[in-house]
Amino acid sequence: MFVRQANLPLCEEHFPWWFERKVERTLRRYKMVGPGDRVLVAVSGGKDSSTLLSVLAELSGKMGFEVASVTLDLGIGGNSYSKLSVETAETIARKLGVEHHTVSIKDKYGFTLDEAVRAVRRPPCSLCGLIKRYALTDVAREMGFDALATGHTLNDVARFLLSSYITASLAELVRLTPVSASELPGIPRRIKPFYESLEEHIKAYADLKGLKYLRDGCPYARTAPMDFLRSFLDGLEARSPGMLNAMVRGYVKHIRPALEAYLKDKLPELRPCSKCGMPSSGDVCAFCRMRERVLERLS
Ligand code: SF4
Ligand code: ZN
């Protein structure tokens, strides 16, 4: 493996070691976890989240935190895709010896993603994002975890940055942090340990470790808005190795602090949703409003 960004050739034995040290540095740099913390890892069975679970399980002993994992059964693809996703995640967690939880969206909230897509006029990935963000935080809160870890990669962060610039979504842009502090008492902080890790390195690590992750894509993936930005940014990184890292580092160091100062007092303060108690910018949170509409159409 040749790590172009660092001009570093590494053998099969040392690449995983280098990759784990890189993730460890990210965890320490942004104070994502502390000794004694209980960390819940969101695992879909795909490459990024499965690798995240493997790396955090490896680092947990040395850094003194506990790891468990959770998979949401979203009911995608008439359940066939979600079933595969749940089975893959459960197998990986079992092999790593990690305590694992599976949560069905249908059982917990009364509808599947497929049903929500049919009931509400909104792009599937946008609905899915809202459901996952809400449900994972809700589950982590109920189970008393200190942090919720997601497999967002450097490539994802760079793509979100660019799409937020394009659409001038300042509120979303300012939230693209490696760590999101607890929004209300009892709500776990959200962490992105792969904030500085490229997908090509994550894949190399997963393959070298022999992780049997899910290779089939979600049937809604082709509807993802702004997906063309992915290949644009991949091309940029291929031509100038280190470009994505420079872009995201520059954002964290210079752009975000300026944006945060500019947005001070302009964004609504978060308060508990009057229906579910989760953080909300209005009286009722976006999830509860969407859920009500979906359940109404289904009844
Ligand atoms: Fe959800 Fe879209 Fe990802 Fe499918 S591709 S899991 S719908 S965000
Ligand atoms: Zn709510």
Side-chain angles (χ1 to χ4, degrees):
M1 181 82 200
F2 183 65
V3 182
R4 290 173 304 146
Q5 293 75 10
N7 212 13
L8 189 65
L10 288 167
C11 66
E12 283 183 16
E13 191 189 328
H14 285 97
F15 177 79
W17 179 88
W18 172 84
F19 184 74
E20 285 163 10
R21 296 293 78 71
K22 183 168 174 57
V23 178
E24 184 182 341
R25 272 200 306 277
T26 305
L27 290 170
R28 292 191 193 278
R29 175 176 291 134
Y30 297 110
K31 299 184 176 52
M32 290 185 180
V33 287
D37 273 352
R38 294 181 66 231
V39 180
L40 184 65
V41 186
V43 183
S44 67
K47 161 178 64 55
D48 302 333
S49 58
S50 303
T51 310
L52 178 63
L53 183 61
S54 171
V55 174
L56 291 188
E58 185 70 36
L59 294 175
S60 60
K62 179 183 175 191
M63 295 181 70
F65 60 89
E66 281 176 38
V67 170
S69 52
V70 63
T71 303
L72 296 178
D73 179 350
L74 293 158
I76 295 178
N79 254 331
S80 55
Y81 171 75
S82 289
K83 194 164 171 274
L84 216 57
S85 149
V86 165
E87 283 171 5
T88 309
E90 284 176 352
T91 307
I92 290 174
R94 196 168 48 245
K95 283 205 170 138
L96 292 169
V98 171
E99 170 194 318
H100 186 77
H101 306 270
T102 298
V103 176
S104 155
I105 294 301
K106 177 82 176 175
D107 292 348
K108 196 161 171 59
Y109 305 111
F111 62 91
T112 63
L113 179 64
D114 285 351
E115 287 169 338
V117 168
R118 283 194 293 273
V120 181
R121 276 189 187 202
R122 197 167 154 173
C125 292
S126 146
L127 270 175
C128 183
L130 172 63
I131 296 170
K132 284 193 290 201
R133 224 177 5 257
Y134 179 92
L136 289 170
T137 310
D138 193 20
V139 168
R141 168 185 76 154
E142 275 177 7
M143 295 185 187
F145 282 91
D146 301 294
L148 172 68
T150 55
H152 292 103
T153 65
L154 176 57
N155 307 61
D156 292 328
V157 178
R159 197 169 71 255
F160 293 148
L161 276 182
L162 207 50
S163 66
S164 303
Y165 282 136
I166 291 171
T167 56
S169 311
L170 300 189
E172 282 175 29
L173 192 57
V174 81
R175 280 206 302 260
L176 285 173
T177 47
V179 182
S180 314
S182 168
E183 291 162 324
L184 288 175
I187 302 290
R189 64 185 178 278
R190 302 172 66 91
I191 63 173
K192 301 183 186 84
F194 283 165
Y195 198 85
E196 299 175 314
S197 296
L198 283 167
E199 281 173 18
E200 61 182 270
H201 298 156
I202 294 169
K203 183 174 184 315
Y205 181 91
D207 292 342
L208 285 171
K209 287 278 177 178
L211 282 180
K212 300 269 180 287
Y213 56 84
L214 187 62
R215 283 162 202 270
D216 292 344
C218 167
Y220 293 120
R222 65 195 149 71
T223 69
M226 302 282 185
D227 210 39
F228 62 92
L229 289 180
R230 178 185 291 274
S231 41
F232 167 70
L233 287 167
D234 285 351
L236 211 59
E237 181 67 23
R239 285 179 59 171
S240 308
M243 181 67 101
L244 298 193
N245 189 44
M247 179 179 165
V248 171
R249 274 284 180 95
Y251 160 76
V252 172
K253 217 166 158 201
H254 304 293
I255 298 175
R256 192 180 173 278
L259 188 61
E260 195 175 27
Y262 169 73
L263 289 175
K264 198 169 181 281
D265 305 326
K266 289 195 175 70
L267 294 177
E269 236 178 72
L270 294 179
R271 51 182 151 147
C273 163
S274 60
K275 286 189 184 273
C276 68
M278 292 276 274
S280 170
S281 52
D283 178 39
V284 178
C285 76
F287 180 86
C288 284
R289 280 184 276 129
M290 181 271 291
R291 182 183 179 207
E292 211 172 283
R293 272 163 58 207
V294 175
L295 294 182
E296 223 176 76
R297 304 264 164 95
L298 288 179
S299 62

